[in-house]
């Protein structure tokens, strides 16, 4: 009889414990429009401060490359009240030679700081062609966070990188497109 009472007591305690901890939440889609505002963006960064160091595979002394510059990002929500904001872009990555002029971009980290001080950041990788007179690269960016209106941001961007045709600047041009997802309260729906 005592065994049955203990089993009953354990069952009651188990139900209470389950009630206190609650049921596990359903797998929420982090891009759900009910909790995230999707911002479609496009823009360009003119990277005038550029250094490419091409590493060979198997080297032990890996040197970082960088692309830094200024530009504009356009967006379709209230964060971009005037339709666009100025940005400063900072990029660092490892560049590896795959063939004579084919390169891979790995371990890339970026920060885009908007003129109001807010920021998005994350990681990128890509591939392209690099030679002394021409650059043509495709990069994929994963947004992993941000500050201000972009706190808890996520999303992705792509950049087509090409030689800047401007006479005044020997830098690179990054043409950006993609989506930034921010919590609804940040997007002020």
């Amino acid at each position: 009889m005592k065994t049955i009472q203990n089993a009953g007591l354990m069952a009651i305690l188990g139900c209470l414990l389950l009630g206190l901890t609650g049921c596990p939440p359903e797998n929420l889609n982090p891009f759900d429009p009910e909790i995230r505002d999707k911002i479609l963006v496009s823009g360009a960064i003119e990277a005038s401060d550029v250094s490419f160091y091409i590493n060979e595979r198997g080297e032990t002394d890996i040197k970082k490359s960088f692309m830094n510059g200024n530009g504009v990002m356009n967006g379709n929500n209230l964060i971009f009240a005037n339709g666009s904001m100025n940005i400063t872009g900072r990029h660092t990555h490892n560049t590896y030679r795959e063939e004579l002029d084919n390169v891979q971009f790995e371990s890339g980290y970026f920060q885009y700081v908007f003129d109001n001080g807010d920021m998005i950041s994350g990681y990128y990788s890509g591939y392209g062609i690099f030679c002394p007179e021409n650059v043509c690269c495709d990069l994929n960016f994963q947004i992993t966070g941000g500050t201000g209106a972009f706190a808890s941001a996520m999303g992705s961007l792509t950049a087509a990188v090409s030689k800047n045709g401007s006479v005044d600047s020997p830098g690179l041009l990054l043409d950006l497109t993609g989506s930034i997802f921010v919590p609804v309260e940040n997007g002020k729906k």
Side-chain angles (χ1 to χ4, degrees):
M1 179 76 164
K2 195 156 185 102
T3 305
I4 293 173
Q5 286 178 339
N6 286 340
L9 185 57
M10 293 300 282
I12 292 170
L13 287 174
C15 288
L16 285 174
L17 185 59
L18 181 62
L20 290 174
T21 59
C23 297
E26 295 179 29
N27 289 336
L28 295 176
N29 177 357
F31 302 104
D32 184 338
E34 294 297 319
I35 61 172
R36 294 274 176 177
D37 187 18
K38 180 180 182 180
I39 307 168
L40 298 175
V41 294
S42 63
I45 294 175
E46 185 176 320
S48 54
D49 182 19
V50 177
S51 174
F52 274 102
Y53 186 86
I54 308 295
N55 297 288
E56 299 295 335
R57 292 287 181 189
E59 285 183 341
T60 55
D61 184 23
I62 304 301
K63 294 190 173 111
K64 289 274 188 198
S65 298
F66 61 84
M67 303 179 292
N68 301 319
N70 299 304
V72 174
M73 187 174 283
N74 307 302
N76 70 334
N77 88 338
L78 293 177
I79 293 174
F80 292 85
N82 297 322
S84 66
M85 288 197 294
N86 294 325
I87 57 174
T88 300
R90 300 180 186 112
H91 311 81
T92 61
H93 58 268
N94 297 336
T95 311
Y96 293 96
R97 182 183 315 278
E98 297 302 326
E99 294 176 8
L100 181 60
D101 57 358
N102 289 346
V103 292
Q104 290 286 325
F105 296 81
E106 297 177 5
S107 304
Y109 177 75
F110 76 96
Q111 286 185 333
Y112 291 159
V113 180
F114 294 86
D115 53 4
N116 65 359
D118 295 349
M119 176 188 71
I120 59 174
S121 61
Y123 299 92
Y124 67 96
S125 61
Y127 63 92
I129 297 171
F130 179 79
C131 53
E133 298 301 318
N134 187 27
V135 174
C136 182
C137 308
D138 292 314
L139 303 175
N140 295 304
F141 295 78
Q142 290 298 303
I143 300 167
T144 59
T147 63
F150 298 100
S152 301
M154 57 177 45
S156 62
L157 303 170
T158 58
V161 182
S162 60
K163 185 80 171 160
N164 185 350
S166 169
V167 175
D168 297 333
S169 174
L172 301 175
L173 187 65
L174 287 77
D175 284 317
L176 301 164
T177 59
S179 300
I180 303 172
F181 292 85
V182 295
V184 169
E185 62 272 9
N186 293 2
K188 300 175 185 151
K189 264 191 169 177

